Each structure stands twice: as structure tokens, then as C-alpha cells.
Amino acid sequence: MSWEDNVRRVVPYTPGEQPRIKNLIKLNTNECPYPPAPQVAEKLKSINYEDLRLYPDPQASALASAISGYYHVPMDQVFVGVGSDDVISMAFMAFFNSDRPILFPDVTYSFYDVWANLHGIPFERVPLDCDFKLVREGFLKENGGIIFPNPNAPTGIYEDISFVEDIVKNNPDVVVIVDEAYIDFGGKSALPLIDKYENLLIVQTFSKSRAMAGMRIGYAFGSKKLIGYLQDVKFSFNSYTMNRPSLEVGAAALQDDEYFKDVCGKIIKTRERVKGRLRELGFDFTDSMANFIFARHRTIPGKDIAGDLRLKGIIVRRWDADRISDYLRISIGTDEEMDKLLIALKEIVA
Ligand code: PMP
């Protein structure tokens, strides 16, 4: 008998690397290439360090009410957490407690199976079709809950609201979580559906479109009942998930809608321009509606391209996984960064 016999063994999620190399073009973790809204800088300057001796508001009211106001959703239908990773992990704990497997796509955010394993939740992967689209029928079998990102990651493929509604409507006995981490880059949120379906949780984040991955702010919307259950789990786990600066800075980030829309618009424009150039260089890709492009070269293995890019100081994300090992997930950077990427790719595929 050893103490190690009592250790919970898990296979952890592997986050994209965060190297501290100067002049690196970092296109591997879907961060925003532009800074957060100017109000964030102002707010940061005004934070009194002496206040850090005090615990933050456990209800995270300043942030939750700012989100409530921005999205026109009552406060008791808003939940906030330390990035959407924290929100989703709490939601797994709160809502996926059946003996039946939860369902998620076979190609999707690779944290879902890690959380399922951590929380002891059985799961089944629903295969995407040959174009990497979600298959409706796959989500209509008996299950203990459903989660999928929309747009899906890492494919970037967006399904319209009628598809989401169809899945939710046909699964009234379980909670359906729609992970909208990338919704602001051209998709339309399924948020209005929370008024119609008590079992729908919509999760979003400040990490991508609001350029605040470093602050760790995620949030969710759902029926009052659903959010109540999520709060109960949170308060059984850690009352003070959100630190004081992130509550204040998060609220400030919502003040400048023009800036927000401008940043999203720039990223979309760059994405569409880069798609055209990639095609000329011999790449195939999905029609991504996210802040990344999921692309594969018609003849050169993904591993080789990723390795060559790295030698040129550019990092992208790639997985040694079934069906997608030749694909690169390329985050959308500034136009200047993307031009450097295109020059590097041109040399590599020549
Ligand atoms: N969902 C998806 C689909 C993602 O790609 C990510 C980013 N890794 C997240 C959730 C988590 O993002 P965050 O915790 O920064 O909000």
C-alpha cells in the first residue's frame, strides 16, 4: 500500500505553448492580436492596490451586472467564472450526473474529454461528417448531456441557430451546453433560445474577441433555474473564483462597443483575405467563422509545415490526432503578422 494508490490519476489537457521568445509570431492559441478596449487601461490604473487585502465580491456583481446590461439578460441568468474553461468545468460538475454518456463531437475542443474523465462522467464522441460538419442525428440518441462549440473548434465551422435549436428541442431531458468561445467572429449567438429552453446553457468568454485571455473571464447564460444550480456548485467549490481586478476590468471592457466591433471586424477581414491567399498556396481549409483558420496543404504533411514555420519564428497549433493530423490551426494575427506567415508558407511550399 502506498499513498499513490489513493491518488486520482488524470491525463491533463495540454494547453498551447506560451514560449517567452522575443519576436515570435504567435498564432497558436487564438489570442486577439489587438489590445483590450482603452477603458481597460484606465480601469487598471485606477485600481487601488490596498483593496487587494479584501476578498472580492463572491457574487461578482459588478461584472455580472455589466454582462447582464450589455446582453439584456437578467442578473440571475448570468454566471461568471475564471475563463470559460472554469465555467464549463463547473457546468460539467453541475449538469452531467447521469449514467448515460454525454455527447460531444469527435473533433472538438480537446478539454471536454479531460473534464469528463476528471469528473467521472461517461462520454461518447459523435463523428463529424466528411466535411467536418456536426451531424444532427448523432445528437439525437439517448444521452446524459450534450456539449459542442459553435463555431466548432478547431474546425471553425459554424452551425446556424436552427441547428442548435433542433438539438436542444430534441433533448429536453438533459442539459445542452453551447460553447460560444468564437461566436463574435461572424456567427450569431443562440442566446435568445434561453428564454425558450430551460435546459440550455450558453457559454462565452472575454479571451478572444475582447482581447483579455490574460484576465481569465468567462460567463454563461441560462434559465434562472439552471444558473441557480451552477451557482450552488460554484459556492460548494470556491466562493471567490473571480479576483478583484478582473471584476472591475471586465466590467470596463464592455463599455466600448464600437471598439469591440471594430476589433472583430478587422479580424474577420484579415481572416477572409488570408483564406484567399492560402488557397493560392495549395491549402484546403474549412470555412472558419472563428479567429483562426483550420488548413491543410494538398501535398505537404502538416507536421513538416509546422516544423518549418517554427524554424522561421512562427508557431501554429497542430494535433497528432485521427483525421486532423495534417491540419494546422492558424490563429488570425495582425495583417502584418499574417503577411509574414504567408511569405514563410510560400517559401515552405515552393
Ligand atoms: N472553449 C473553446 C472551444 C476554446 O477553444 C477555448 C480556448 N482554449 C475555451 C473554451 C476556453 O477559453 P477561456 O478559458 O480562455 O475562456
PDB file of all heavy atoms in Angstrom, residues 13 83-85 88 109 112 149 153 179 181-182 205 207-208 216, ligand 1:
ATOM      1  N   TYR A  13      -5.194  18.095 -19.824  1.00  0.00           N
ATOM      2  CA  TYR A  13      -5.275  18.830 -21.086  1.00  0.00           C
ATOM      3  C   TYR A  13      -3.907  19.470 -21.345  1.00  0.00           C
ATOM      4  O   TYR A  13      -3.227  19.895 -20.404  1.00  0.00           O
ATOM      5  CB  TYR A  13      -6.347  19.916 -20.948  1.00  0.00           C
ATOM      6  CG  TYR A  13      -6.413  20.897 -22.089  1.00  0.00           C
ATOM      7  CD1 TYR A  13      -6.942  20.527 -23.319  1.00  0.00           C
ATOM      8  CD2 TYR A  13      -5.969  22.213 -21.936  1.00  0.00           C
ATOM      9  CE1 TYR A  13      -7.022  21.442 -24.368  1.00  0.00           C
ATOM     10  CE2 TYR A  13      -6.045  23.127 -22.974  1.00  0.00           C
ATOM     11  CZ  TYR A  13      -6.578  22.728 -24.184  1.00  0.00           C
ATOM     12  OH  TYR A  13      -6.648  23.629 -25.213  1.00  0.00           O
ATOM     13  N   GLY A  83     -12.436  32.427 -16.799  1.00  0.00           N
ATOM     14  CA  GLY A  83     -12.340  31.940 -18.172  1.00  0.00           C
ATOM     15  C   GLY A  83     -13.472  30.956 -18.418  1.00  0.00           C
ATOM     16  O   GLY A  83     -14.083  30.435 -17.472  1.00  0.00           O
ATOM     17  N   SER A  84     -13.773  30.710 -19.699  1.00  0.00           N
ATOM     18  CA  SER A  84     -14.875  29.771 -19.948  1.00  0.00           C
ATOM     19  C   SER A  84     -14.459  28.351 -19.570  1.00  0.00           C
ATOM     20  O   SER A  84     -15.311  27.505 -19.305  1.00  0.00           O
ATOM     21  CB  SER A  84     -15.387  29.862 -21.387  1.00  0.00           C
ATOM     22  OG  SER A  84     -14.356  29.804 -22.316  1.00  0.00           O
ATOM     23  N   ASP A  85     -13.156  28.084 -19.494  1.00  0.00           N
ATOM     24  CA  ASP A  85     -12.723  26.763 -19.006  1.00  0.00           C
ATOM     25  C   ASP A  85     -13.294  26.488 -17.618  1.00  0.00           C
ATOM     26  O   ASP A  85     -13.784  25.392 -17.329  1.00  0.00           O
ATOM     27  CB  ASP A  85     -11.191  26.702 -18.926  1.00  0.00           C
ATOM     28  CG  ASP A  85     -10.541  26.446 -20.279  1.00  0.00           C
ATOM     29  OD1 ASP A  85     -11.243  26.023 -21.210  1.00  0.00           O
ATOM     30  OD2 ASP A  85      -9.320  26.668 -20.394  1.00  0.00           O
ATOM     31  N   ILE A  88     -17.141  26.044 -17.850  1.00  0.00           N
ATOM     32  CA  ILE A  88     -17.551  24.752 -18.430  1.00  0.00           C
ATOM     33  C   ILE A  88     -17.258  23.607 -17.456  1.00  0.00           C
ATOM     34  O   ILE A  88     -18.066  22.690 -17.292  1.00  0.00           O
ATOM     35  CB  ILE A  88     -16.857  24.511 -19.799  1.00  0.00           C
ATOM     36  CG1 ILE A  88     -17.241  25.610 -20.792  1.00  0.00           C
ATOM     37  CG2 ILE A  88     -17.270  23.147 -20.364  1.00  0.00           C
ATOM     38  CD1 ILE A  88     -16.427  25.599 -22.078  1.00  0.00           C
ATOM     39  N   TYR A 109     -13.094  20.673 -29.079  1.00  0.00           N
ATOM     40  CA  TYR A 109     -12.195  21.215 -28.050  1.00  0.00           C
ATOM     41  C   TYR A 109     -11.698  20.057 -27.183  1.00  0.00           C
ATOM     42  O   TYR A 109     -12.493  19.342 -26.576  1.00  0.00           O
ATOM     43  CB  TYR A 109     -12.963  22.242 -27.223  1.00  0.00           C
ATOM     44  CG  TYR A 109     -12.145  22.993 -26.196  1.00  0.00           C
ATOM     45  CD1 TYR A 109     -10.801  23.254 -26.393  1.00  0.00           C
ATOM     46  CD2 TYR A 109     -12.750  23.469 -25.046  1.00  0.00           C
ATOM     47  CE1 TYR A 109     -10.067  23.968 -25.451  1.00  0.00           C
ATOM     48  CE2 TYR A 109     -12.029  24.194 -24.100  1.00  0.00           C
ATOM     49  CZ  TYR A 109     -10.686  24.431 -24.307  1.00  0.00           C
ATOM     50  OH  TYR A 109      -9.971  25.138 -23.377  1.00  0.00           O
ATOM     51  N   TYR A 112     -12.857  18.734 -23.412  1.00  0.00           N
ATOM     52  CA  TYR A 112     -14.106  18.106 -22.979  1.00  0.00           C
ATOM     53  C   TYR A 112     -13.888  16.702 -22.412  1.00  0.00           C
ATOM     54  O   TYR A 112     -14.437  16.343 -21.368  1.00  0.00           O
ATOM     55  CB  TYR A 112     -15.128  18.042 -24.121  1.00  0.00           C
ATOM     56  CG  TYR A 112     -15.582  19.378 -24.672  1.00  0.00           C
ATOM     57  CD1 TYR A 112     -16.087  19.487 -25.972  1.00  0.00           C
ATOM     58  CD2 TYR A 112     -15.507  20.544 -23.901  1.00  0.00           C
ATOM     59  CE1 TYR A 112     -16.513  20.705 -26.484  1.00  0.00           C
ATOM     60  CE2 TYR A 112     -15.919  21.767 -24.413  1.00  0.00           C
ATOM     61  CZ  TYR A 112     -16.424  21.842 -25.703  1.00  0.00           C
ATOM     62  OH  TYR A 112     -16.833  23.049 -26.213  1.00  0.00           O
ATOM     63  N   PRO A 149     -18.972  23.182 -29.266  1.00  0.00           N
ATOM     64  CA  PRO A 149     -18.692  24.591 -29.502  1.00  0.00           C
ATOM     65  C   PRO A 149     -19.377  25.031 -30.795  1.00  0.00           C
ATOM     66  O   PRO A 149     -19.515  24.246 -31.727  1.00  0.00           O
ATOM     67  CB  PRO A 149     -17.173  24.641 -29.694  1.00  0.00           C
ATOM     68  CG  PRO A 149     -16.662  23.252 -29.458  1.00  0.00           C
ATOM     69  CD  PRO A 149     -17.814  22.329 -29.664  1.00  0.00           C
ATOM     70  N   ALA A 153     -14.479  24.048 -32.628  1.00  0.00           N
ATOM     71  CA  ALA A 153     -13.031  24.222 -32.613  1.00  0.00           C
ATOM     72  C   ALA A 153     -12.427  22.822 -32.678  1.00  0.00           C
ATOM     73  O   ALA A 153     -12.947  21.932 -32.004  1.00  0.00           O
ATOM     74  CB  ALA A 153     -12.606  24.908 -31.321  1.00  0.00           C
ATOM     75  N   ASP A 179     -20.887  26.050 -26.413  1.00  0.00           N
ATOM     76  CA  ASP A 179     -19.663  26.770 -26.080  1.00  0.00           C
ATOM     77  C   ASP A 179     -19.392  27.776 -27.205  1.00  0.00           C
ATOM     78  O   ASP A 179     -18.910  27.410 -28.273  1.00  0.00           O
ATOM     79  CB  ASP A 179     -18.543  25.723 -25.953  1.00  0.00           C
ATOM     80  CG  ASP A 179     -17.169  26.328 -25.716  1.00  0.00           C
ATOM     81  OD1 ASP A 179     -17.027  27.555 -25.758  1.00  0.00           O
ATOM     82  OD2 ASP A 179     -16.226  25.524 -25.505  1.00  0.00           O
ATOM     83  N   ALA A 181     -17.238  30.244 -27.548  1.00  0.00           N
ATOM     84  CA  ALA A 181     -15.974  30.974 -27.372  1.00  0.00           C
ATOM     85  C   ALA A 181     -15.645  31.847 -28.588  1.00  0.00           C
ATOM     86  O   ALA A 181     -15.021  32.898 -28.455  1.00  0.00           O
ATOM     87  CB  ALA A 181     -14.833  29.993 -27.098  1.00  0.00           C
ATOM     88  N   TYR A 182     -16.067  31.400 -29.780  1.00  0.00           N
ATOM     89  CA  TYR A 182     -15.674  32.095 -31.018  1.00  0.00           C
ATOM     90  C   TYR A 182     -16.855  32.732 -31.742  1.00  0.00           C
ATOM     91  O   TYR A 182     -16.791  33.003 -32.932  1.00  0.00           O
ATOM     92  CB  TYR A 182     -14.956  31.097 -31.947  1.00  0.00           C
ATOM     93  CG  TYR A 182     -13.733  30.499 -31.296  1.00  0.00           C
ATOM     94  CD1 TYR A 182     -13.760  29.207 -30.753  1.00  0.00           C
ATOM     95  CD2 TYR A 182     -12.560  31.229 -31.172  1.00  0.00           C
ATOM     96  CE1 TYR A 182     -12.650  28.659 -30.130  1.00  0.00           C
ATOM     97  CE2 TYR A 182     -11.442  30.701 -30.549  1.00  0.00           C
ATOM     98  CZ  TYR A 182     -11.494  29.421 -30.032  1.00  0.00           C
ATOM     99  OH  TYR A 182     -10.387  28.897 -29.411  1.00  0.00           O
ATOM    100  N   THR A 205     -16.773  33.963 -23.665  1.00  0.00           N
ATOM    101  CA  THR A 205     -15.512  34.320 -23.000  1.00  0.00           C
ATOM    102  C   THR A 205     -15.011  35.699 -23.421  1.00  0.00           C
ATOM    103  O   THR A 205     -15.328  36.174 -24.515  1.00  0.00           O
ATOM    104  CB  THR A 205     -14.433  33.268 -23.332  1.00  0.00           C
ATOM    105  OG1 THR A 205     -13.191  33.659 -22.742  1.00  0.00           O
ATOM    106  CG2 THR A 205     -14.201  33.119 -24.829  1.00  0.00           C
ATOM    107  N   SER A 207     -11.824  36.021 -23.648  1.00  0.00           N
ATOM    108  CA  SER A 207     -10.441  35.695 -24.016  1.00  0.00           C
ATOM    109  C   SER A 207     -10.096  35.969 -25.479  1.00  0.00           C
ATOM    110  O   SER A 207      -8.934  36.198 -25.797  1.00  0.00           O
ATOM    111  CB  SER A 207     -10.157  34.219 -23.744  1.00  0.00           C
ATOM    112  OG  SER A 207     -10.225  33.951 -22.373  1.00  0.00           O
ATOM    113  N   LYS A 208     -11.078  35.907 -26.362  1.00  0.00           N
ATOM    114  CA  LYS A 208     -10.762  36.026 -27.789  1.00  0.00           C
ATOM    115  C   LYS A 208     -11.189  37.391 -28.323  1.00  0.00           C
ATOM    116  O   LYS A 208     -10.349  38.244 -28.565  1.00  0.00           O
ATOM    117  CB  LYS A 208     -11.461  34.910 -28.582  1.00  0.00           C
ATOM    118  CG  LYS A 208     -11.575  33.572 -27.870  1.00  0.00           C
ATOM    119  CD  LYS A 208     -10.265  32.852 -27.761  1.00  0.00           C
ATOM    120  CE  LYS A 208     -10.450  31.546 -27.004  1.00  0.00           C
ATOM    121  NZ  LYS A 208      -9.222  30.801 -26.854  1.00  0.00           N
ATOM    122  N   ARG A 216      -8.623  36.114 -17.646  1.00  0.00           N
ATOM    123  CA  ARG A 216      -9.416  34.930 -17.305  1.00  0.00           C
ATOM    124  C   ARG A 216     -10.849  35.295 -16.911  1.00  0.00           C
ATOM    125  O   ARG A 216     -11.229  35.273 -15.740  1.00  0.00           O
ATOM    126  CB  ARG A 216      -8.753  34.089 -16.183  1.00  0.00           C
ATOM    127  CG  ARG A 216      -7.281  33.789 -16.363  1.00  0.00           C
ATOM    128  CD  ARG A 216      -6.981  33.127 -17.694  1.00  0.00           C
ATOM    129  NE  ARG A 216      -7.635  31.833 -17.846  1.00  0.00           N
ATOM    130  CZ  ARG A 216      -8.410  31.524 -18.902  1.00  0.00           C
ATOM    131  NH1 ARG A 216      -8.613  32.379 -19.880  1.00  0.00           N
ATOM    132  NH2 ARG A 216      -8.949  30.338 -18.987  1.00  0.00           N
TER     133      ARG A 216
HETATM  134  N1  PMP B   1     -13.898  26.694 -25.499  1.00  0.00           N
HETATM  135  C1  PMP B   1     -13.194  26.582 -26.623  1.00  0.00           C
HETATM  136  C2  PMP B   1     -13.834  25.923 -27.786  1.00  0.00           C
HETATM  137  C3  PMP B   1     -11.882  27.055 -26.699  1.00  0.00           C
HETATM  138  O1  PMP B   1     -11.153  26.907 -27.803  1.00  0.00           O
HETATM  139  C4  PMP B   1     -11.315  27.687 -25.570  1.00  0.00           C
HETATM  140  C5  PMP B   1      -9.908  28.243 -25.631  1.00  0.00           C
HETATM  141  N2  PMP B   1      -8.914  27.326 -25.337  1.00  0.00           N
HETATM  142  C6  PMP B   1     -12.091  27.772 -24.414  1.00  0.00           C
HETATM  143  C7  PMP B   1     -13.373  27.285 -24.407  1.00  0.00           C
HETATM  144  C8  PMP B   1     -11.540  28.343 -23.136  1.00  0.00           C
HETATM  145  O2  PMP B   1     -11.224  29.670 -23.209  1.00  0.00           O
HETATM  146  P1  PMP B   1     -11.090  30.573 -21.910  1.00  0.00           P
HETATM  147  O3  PMP B   1     -10.970  29.661 -20.712  1.00  0.00           O
HETATM  148  O4  PMP B   1      -9.868  31.377 -22.143  1.00  0.00           O
HETATM  149  O5  PMP B   1     -12.340  31.388 -21.855  1.00  0.00           O
END
